[in-house]
Every structure is written in C-alpha cells, then in structure tokens.
Amino acid sequence: MTRNWWCAMALAAFSFSAMAAGARPTIEELKARPVLDDYESNIVYGYNIVMETQRYAPRYVGSRLNCTNCHLKGGTQPEGFPLNVEGVYPRWRAKNGVRNGLGLRIRDCFLYSLNGVMPPEESPEVQAVAAYIHYLSEGEVIGRPPDRWGVPTLPETGSDPNPARGSVVYKQKCAACHGADGQGTAAAPPVWGPGSYNAGAGMNNVQRVAGFIWANMPLGSERSLTHQEALDVAAFLHIQLRPFDPRTTNLWKLVERIAQAVSSFFGAGKP
Amino acid sequence: MRATAAILGMLREVIPDLRWRRAVDGRREIVSGLAGALLVIPQAITFAYLAGVPPEFGLYCAVFVGLLASLLGNSPMVGGPNTSVSILIAATVMPFSGRGSPLYLEFVFVLSLAVGVVQLAIWLLRGAHLFRYFSPAAITGIKTGVGILLISSALEGTLGLAPLSTQFFYEKFDVALTAWDSTVNPYAVVTSAVTIGCGLALRRRWCRSYIMLAVLAGGVMGCGLYFAYGPVTTQLELLGHVTLRAWPFQVPRVTPQHWLFLEQVIPSIFAIAVLGLAQSLVIARDLKARIAPDIDLHKEVFAQGVANMASPFFSTFAGSGSFNRTAVAVEMGARTPLSGIVAAFAVVLLAWVLGPLLTYLPMPAVAGVLALVGMGMIRRREIRPLFQSFGDAAVFSVTTFSVAFLDLSTGILVAVVASVVFFMVRASDVKLTISVEGEQERIAVTGNLYYASVDGLAKHLRTDPTRDSVLDLSRVPYCDPFAVSVMEAIRAERERAGGRLEWAAG
C-alpha cells in the first residue's frame, strides 16, 4: 500500500518534471519550428550570438573570442560561468559602482571580455542575449543565485600563485590547444595577446580564472590539475600582454586601436 | 494593333536602354559618381539606423538598389536609401517585432519585396501619370514635415538621452529640460554639437561635401572624448564594426507568418510604394524638364520597382531616388546613369577602406547628420513662393502639419487628398469679364465650364432675366453637357421673360 503510494508519487513527480521540461523547448526544437514569435526568434538569435559571437554580433566584437568560450556550452555548464542568472539581476557590482541590470552586464562582457565596443542597451544583440538568458533561467528562483553559479572558489593552498611554475604547467598541459604563444589554435581560443580578453575583463583575475581553469580545463580532462597548479597557471596568464583595460584613460588606447585598424585593413584579420 | 504597340512600348521600358553610352562624358560622370559615393556613406548608415536595421544594410541599399535603378532606368537620378522610406519601414514593422531583431529583419525583407511588387503593378497600370497630380506644394510639405521628423528623431541621439518611448519632440524637450542632469549625456551633446555646428558653418561654402566634413569633425571630437575619458565615463555609443559581405545574396523567407504580417500592413505597403515613387518621379520630372529630355518616366517606375523587389535578395531594404544626392550629382556634371553605376562600385570600395575607421564613429555624430539632413530638407527658398497663393499655402501647411504631428503615411494621404481638392477648386475657378455695349452685355468667360463651375455664371445670368447677353466662350477649353444644359435652360427662361442669351463657342 505505502509502496504503491510512493510509486504514484514518483510517477507524478516524474510526469511533472517531464511536463516542465516539455514547457521549455530546446533550441533545436525552436529552430525546427516553421513559425517563431518575436520572443522565440530572439532566443534563437541570442543562442546564436552566444555560440558564434564572431558571426552573429560582429558589430561589437574586437577579439577572437565567442561568449561560449568562457560561458561554456552556450552558458549551460554549471561552474563554467553558466548564464541562467536572470534571478540575480539587477545587483550592485563593485566593478562599476552601480546597480547592474542584466543588459549592462551583457554589454560589459562585450566591452571587456570581448574587447569590443559597448553595444547600446536597446541594440538587438543585447536584447537577444537577454532573451536567451531569460530562457535559460526558466525554473530558477528569483533572487537566489543558480546552483553552482560562476566558477568554484579554490581554497587556500598555503602558497602564493607563482607564474614561473605556471609557465611550466602551461607548456605541458595547455600549449597543445592554446598554442605555445597563447594565440590560440584551430582547437582553442587565444588566452592572451591581441585576440584575447582585455586587461579589464572579469577573466583577468587570478582567483576567478584559476577556478575556471581548475573546473573546466584542460578540456576533456577537467579537474586533473591540482589547486596549486591552477593558481600558478592563472598567475602566468595574468602577467601576459593583453589589450588595455578600456577604463584606463590614456592615449595608448587610441594608438593601439589605430594599429589594430591598420593591421586588420592589411589583411591580418581581426586582431 | 494598339495592344501590340502598347506591349512593345512596355518591352522597351523593360529592356535596359544603353543608348546613353554614346553621349557619355566619361570623366565628369566618374567624378560625380565618386563624390556621390562619399556622400552616401554617412547617409546610408544614418538611414539604416532610422529604419532600425544594421548599418551594413544601408550600404547594401546604396550599392544594389542604386545600381539596379541606374542600370534599368535612363536618368542621372541617384537611387538608394531614402529618409522617408526608412522612417515608414520602421514605423510599419516596429509594432510587430523588436527593432533589429531577426524577425524584424525578415519582416523588413518581405515588406520591401511587397513594395517592389506594388510598384511594378503601378508601372503595369501606367501609374506614372497619376503622380502628376502630386502638387509641388504637397511635395514640399512632405519634405518639410520629414525634415521636422528627422530633427526630432535626432534629438535622442544628439542629447544622448536614454531611449524614450515617445515620438513627440516636445515631450523629449520636456524630459531633456526637467531631468537634464540624469538624462542628458554631455559628451554626446558636445560631439553632436560639433557635428551640427560644423555642418551649418560649412554648408554655404561646400554645399556638396559639408555632411562628410561635419561627420569627420564630429567623429574626431567624439573619438577624442571616448579615448581621453574612457567608455565608462563618457558612455558614448559607437557604431561598431561594419562587416560588409562581398556577396550578400539570400532568399527572403516567406512563411504564413510573413503573409499574415503583410496582410496587416497593406496600407503601409501602398504608402511606401507611393511615397518612394512620388519622390523618384518628382526628381525624374525635374531632370526631364531641365537637362535630360529623353527620360521615360514609366521606365523609371519600372526600374524602381525592380530594384526594390530585388532589395531583399541582397540583404537590404527598399529605397527610392534621393533629392540631395541627385542634386549634387547633376551639379557635378552627371547626365547619364553612368554616374550612379560608378557610385555603386565606389561605395563598396570606400566602405572597405573606411570600414576600420567607421567602427569608432560615435553615434551622436550620426544623429548630428540626421539633424543636418533634416535641416537641409526644410528649404526656405522652396517654401516662400508657396505662400503667394492661398491654395498652395493651405496644401503645404496641412501636409507639413500632418506629416510632423500625425504620421508619415497619414501625411501622404492628406497630401494627395489636399492636392486633388485644391486642384479641383482651382479648376472650377471661372473668371467672368463683363463689358457693356449699349443695351447688350458681353461676358468673356475664362476657365473650364462644367458641373462644378457653372454655378457662378448661372447665378450672374439669372439676376436679370430681361437682359440681352452674349457669352464669349473662346477661352473655355472645356464645356461639359451639364453646363450646356444649364445655359440652355437660362436661355429659355430669358426668352419667356423677354431677354436674350447667345453664345459663341470657342
């Protein structure tokens, strides 16, 4: 009797979750539909932007990265900067000292992580990514961060991050994909240099990038590094040359931009 | 026989007429084409912004719509993106989809396709004749109204206001005045002020290239601020990378959803088609009268229709002839379509060269261009003569008012109706010149005598049935049977009362 009751409950719970899953069509299902309304078409557009930023939002991109390079698997990977974060915005951030709406948060990633041009709040690209984030956040609790939000915070290891040791780790574990010079290969995006995120990006923070690397890199054998190795290689990435922080208000930025424009004109491709 | 002749005539309009090749003055055409390309780039970006589509689309429009209209047409008219058409496109699609979203772009494509189809239908029905009834006063009214619209839509961009959901510029002013410290962006104001100031100062001296110079000045100013104070402080919005594809060919998607959309915007489709043609034909008519007598207006309608119908296939939106760019081209010596063809290719080249620089073009400078183009459309030289006649002044004022305060498509309707009404009123104006020779009264009639205009004459003749009157109808081009029957009735009345009425037909 009780067993039957539990079975029924489990069945009900299962069918409920199936229903909930059915309520949210996958991107593939959406793409296969002949007719999309404005919201759905924006979800698909937002998904395309996150997966192939270079192709779908070229207007505001200045690096060779796509959103999904950091927001892994299109923002669906827990502890890989997942994007199901609608519930935690708007929130105050120390970075710019104001309360950030989701729109501003997205625009910030264009400016810093993609070293590009900050799109206006009402630009179709931002609206589309916001719709996609909204879609990903279905089922999350408003006001509470999603499960395994951001990246894990590594515990104290008792030893400072050391870039010299990091460089060894990089050569052994990372260079195969990201290139010995960090400029990326066909298999992986650049991790420093003109095609990578700039010095103002959230990624350019040793603790955070260490958490990212520990939880997600080397791709395919995640969590194989020790915490110390992850911190070391993060410190190594941190000291590399990358585009200026756009908040630094010096003329160098202008010179750099002009150099970029000139080199892209002479066929060097987008820096 | 007549049918075959008509069909042959239409065939002649369909086939590109390349006879102009023989009379072409290559150097002048090429120079004016290059100048046109330089001129169109800031405008194309601005008008794409007006239409709510990415800036690339504006450039594609300048290239492909311009090229097709020039190749198929037979005039030095410069086609491409157009303010009024862009405004109407945005106003039509906006209620159905968010500005610039994928669905929005699809709707813009099918809308442009439909506009082209309607224009071709107008060509088949020989619609070019109809546009003769658009009076110059109405055209000037539409231009002035659009100028006001442009200036008001530039306000957001120039002040850097946070996006407002209001169309009314006095409301925008109100926001800007009462809450200036939180809404107005001083960096944007400086940038656009430099753009507009430069434009106004240079307009007299360099009437051809002042917009280009103004954009340059505003761009340098804005970039200086952007890099000196940083994007976070200035919050200046930049244009971003303009990525032109070499071959932007695509097939627009038409699904039941798109049909549903088209069905709901039928009035707008017609408004866009008519407005686009009206502008092209006004330009063509003017060119025909002044410099290129063998322009065939029907051929221009056909060219415009095909160009717009093809526009979605080249990832762009509908356009029309451009007043200001044609004026510059003609001034620089363009007499044949060659200059338009050169301009199309030069745009590709220039956009490719300027591309990396355009990335950092601040949007307030673009808004400044919008304001400058708007100011250029309000021409005191065109408006003042209209106020010499009551009819023209009325048509002009009504049209301007409804374009600026109601909306553009209503304004066009009002313009047509007002033109026709005042045409009728003017046509029914009959002047009577009365001279008395002894007992006999001579009445010289000037004007058309028909059902709407005969009243005045009848009233005069009926005042005294015993008179002896002679009508001189030699200056009556047209007299309809109704008017004749009225006069016959009066003659009968007079004969009964002892008077007399005679007339000598002209």
Side-chain angles (χ1 to χ4, degrees):
Chain A
M1 157 74 200
T2 29
R3 221 171 107 214
N4 272 351
W5 189 79
W6 279 112
C7 270
M9 275 309 281
L11 212 77
F14 176 77
S15 62
F16 183 74
S17 68
M19 241 167 65
R24 195 180 91 172
T26 64
I27 296 286
E28 263 54 48
E29 274 164 19
L30 282 180
K31 278 188 175 169
R33 283 193 198 165
V35 173
L36 294 181
D37 65 16
D38 186 53
Y39 173 58
E40 292 162 344
S41 75
N42 261 316
I43 294 174
V44 173
Y45 185 33
Y47 169 77
N48 286 338
I49 291 176
V50 169
M51 294 306 287
E52 291 173 79
T53 321
Q54 301 288 334
R55 176 158 164 225
Y56 288 97
R59 210 175 148 189
Y60 301 111
V61 180
S63 70
R64 294 212 315 266
L65 300 179
N66 297 309
C67 309
T68 185
N69 291 156
C70 303
H71 300 285
L72 298 173
K73 303 204 178 121
T76 58
Q77 171 85 356
E79 303 202 327
F81 295 119
L83 285 178
N84 51 347
V85 293
E86 171 112 2
V88 291
Y89 287 94
R91 69 194 272 114
W92 186 86
R93 287 173 71 226
K95 182 165 185 167
N96 42 22
V98 292
R99 197 176 295 114
N100 286 220
L102 192 56
L104 184 57
R105 194 65 199 78
I106 295 167
R107 296 160 67 207
D108 262 7
C109 256
F110 272 102
L111 180 61
Y112 300 108
S113 300
L114 293 173
N115 189 33
V117 165
M118 191 188 257
E121 180 91 28
E122 71 275 25
S123 71
E125 286 88 349
V126 171
Q127 302 284 324
V129 174
Y132 177 60
I133 290 177
H134 191 84
Y135 158 87
L136 287 182
S137 310
E138 200 177 298
E140 298 295 335
V141 180
I142 296 295
R144 197 172 316 145
D147 188 30
R148 299 203 279 158
W149 180 34
V151 290
T153 312
L154 301 187
E156 273 303 321
T157 54
S159 153
D160 277 346
N162 182 332
R165 276 183 313 209
S167 118
V168 178
V169 177
Y170 184 84
K171 284 208 188 77
Q172 284 173 355
K173 304 263 170 87
C174 323
C177 290
H178 289 286
D181 55 356
Q183 306 299 301
T185 61
V191 282
W192 72 78
S196 192
Y197 52 90
N198 67 34
M203 229 17 175
N204 199 29
N205 169 309
V206 175
Q207 286 300 329
R208 198 175 286 136
V209 80
F212 176 84
I213 291 168
W214 180 76
N216 303 294
M217 289 291 144
L219 207 70
S221 44
E222 293 84 1
R223 307 191 184 220
S224 62
L225 301 181
T226 62
H227 291 164
Q228 187 59 46
E229 280 174 329
L231 281 166
D232 290 345
V233 77
F236 174 68
L237 294 188
H238 187 71
I239 61 168
Q240 300 303 323
L241 268 181
R242 51 181 75 255
F244 281 88
D245 185 342
R247 287 168 299 179
T248 56
T249 61
N250 56 27
L251 225 56
W252 278 114
K253 190 77 198 163
L254 183 60
V255 174
E256 180 190 295
R257 290 287 151 134
I258 291 173
Q260 264 185 14
V262 170
S263 68
S264 80
F265 178 65
F266 286 111
K270 219 181 262 172
Chain B
M1 245 0 255
R2 271 190 60 199
T4 42
I7 290 171
L8 276 182
M10 285 175 107
L11 263 183
R12 221 170 295 128
E13 288 161 24
V14 171
I15 299 164
D17 173 11
L18 298 176
R19 261 175 306 165
W20 52 261
R21 264 179 318 162
R22 269 176 255 141
V24 76
D25 174 356
R27 246 196 54 197
R28 284 181 140 193
E29 302 281 338
I30 289 173
V31 168
S32 74
L34 290 178
L38 209 59
L39 199 66
V40 78
I41 286 183
Q43 291 192 9
I45 290 170
T46 318
F47 298 169
Y49 169 74
L50 267 187
V53 299
E56 293 89 87
F57 284 34
L59 294 173
Y60 293 145
C61 187
V63 174
F64 293 105
V65 174
L67 186 64
L68 278 175
S70 286
L71 272 180
L72 293 170
N74 191 21
S75 74
M77 178 165 71
V78 182
N82 173 281
T83 38
S84 334
V85 173
S86 297
I87 293 178
L88 270 181
I89 288 179
T92 309
V93 185
M94 213 82 92
F96 294 89
S97 180
R99 198 183 161 86
S101 73
L103 204 62
Y104 183 95
L105 300 185
E106 282 179 14
F107 284 164
V108 168
F109 292 144
V110 286
L111 180 68
S112 302
L113 194 68
V115 166
V117 170
V118 168
Q119 289 178 331
L120 278 188
I122 293 177
W123 167 73
L124 273 178
L125 300 174
R126 313 277 82 188
H129 293 306
L130 270 178
F131 291 93
R132 283 184 298 200
Y133 299 104
F134 247 122
S135 69
I139 293 285
T140 312
I142 292 180
K143 270 166 71 179
T144 311
V146 168
I148 296 174
L149 278 185
L150 287 187
I151 294 173
S152 89
S153 64
L155 213 57
E156 266 158 40
T158 50
L159 298 180
L161 296 183
L164 297 172
S165 57
T166 167
Q167 291 280 313
F168 298 118
F169 52 87
Y170 35 82
E171 232 167 75
K172 287 186 205 165
F173 269 123
D174 188 44
V175 170
L177 286 179
T178 51
W180 58 272
D181 49 338
S182 60
T183 50
V184 174
N185 177 347
Y187 301 95
V189 172
V190 171
T191 305
S192 51
V194 167
T195 313
I196 297 175
C198 232
L200 291 182
L202 298 178
R203 192 154 70 165
R204 285 271 158 68
R205 287 286 300 283
W206 285 287
C207 53
R208 296 180 199 131
S209 49
Y210 73 95
I211 290 199
M212 204 63 213
L213 296 171
V215 168
L216 203 65
V220 169
M221 184 75 222
C223 275
L225 290 174
Y226 182 86
F227 286 111
Y229 295 96
V232 182
T233 321
T234 54
Q235 290 285 322
L236 273 180
E237 193 184 306
L238 302 186
L239 180 67
H241 301 272
V242 177
T243 38
L244 284 186
R245 275 175 290 156
W247 181 240
F249 190 79
Q250 58 152 17
V251 178
R253 252 159 53 91
V254 183
T255 65
Q257 192 186 11
H258 298 93
W259 281 113
L260 218 67
F261 161 74
L262 286 182
E263 209 179 298
Q264 293 184 34
V265 298
I266 288 175
S268 304
I269 297 176
F270 278 88
I272 298 174
V274 167
L275 185 69
L277 282 186
Q279 299 188 59
S280 297
L281 286 179
V282 166
I283 299 170
R285 198 167 58 180
D286 180 52
L287 292 176
K288 188 180 163 92
R290 285 194 302 131
I291 58 166
D294 37 59
I295 290 176
D296 177 350
L297 294 186
H298 293 301
K299 200 175 172 66
E300 299 299 326
V301 175
F302 174 76
Q304 198 63 63
V306 171
N308 286 343
M309 220 170 89
S311 63
F313 292 91
F314 295 103
S315 321
T316 183
F317 54 92
S320 87
S322 152
F323 285 107
N324 58 19
R325 296 196 300 272
T326 306
V328 170
V330 167
E331 203 177 307
M332 298 195 62
R335 290 296 176 271
T336 68
L338 181 62
S339 76
I341 296 169
V342 171
F345 287 104
V347 168
V348 178
L349 211 70
L350 267 176
W352 181 63
V353 174
L354 292 178
L357 283 182
L358 285 179
T359 308
Y360 299 103
L361 184 65
M363 290 312 271
V366 172
V369 173
L370 209 59
L372 281 175
V373 173
M375 290 176 200
M377 290 182 90
I378 305 174
R379 289 252 170 96
R380 221 176 304 152
R381 227 175 341 123
E382 283 175 14
I383 297 173
R384 192 159 320 127
L386 297 178
F387 280 86
Q388 281 160 9
S389 111
F390 172 75
D392 282 343
V395 172
F396 167 78
S397 321
V398 168
T399 310
T400 307
F401 179 84
S402 39
V403 169
F405 293 95
L406 303 178
D407 65 58
L408 192 46
S409 33
T410 318
I412 294 160
L413 202 67
V414 168
V416 175
V417 171
S419 303
V420 170
V421 165
F422 278 91
F423 172 75
M424 305 271 270
V425 169
R426 200 173 304 153
S428 67
D429 214 19
V430 171
K431 217 167 103 216
L432 307 178
T433 321
I434 300 164
S435 51
V436 182
E437 298 165 9
E439 284 294 282
Q440 201 178 45
E441 177 194 43
R442 276 189 72 82
I443 306 176
V445 185
T446 321
N448 289 314
L449 274 184
Y450 65 108
Y451 56 90
S453 64
V454 76
D455 278 0
L457 178 66
K459 199 170 153 208
H460 174 79
L461 293 178
R462 285 207 166 104
T463 43
D464 182 2
T466 59
R467 286 297 286 267
D468 175 7
S469 310
V470 177
L471 294 180
D472 174 5
L473 300 185
S474 63
R475 260 168 291 169
V476 175
Y478 171 70
C479 183
D480 82 339
F482 181 82
V484 174
S485 69
V486 169
M487 290 190 304
E488 273 166 356
I490 293 174
R491 179 163 63 188
E493 280 167 30
R494 286 207 171 177
E495 268 160 16
R496 255 177 275 127
R500 214 162 65 86
L501 177 67
E502 269 176 23
W503 59 83

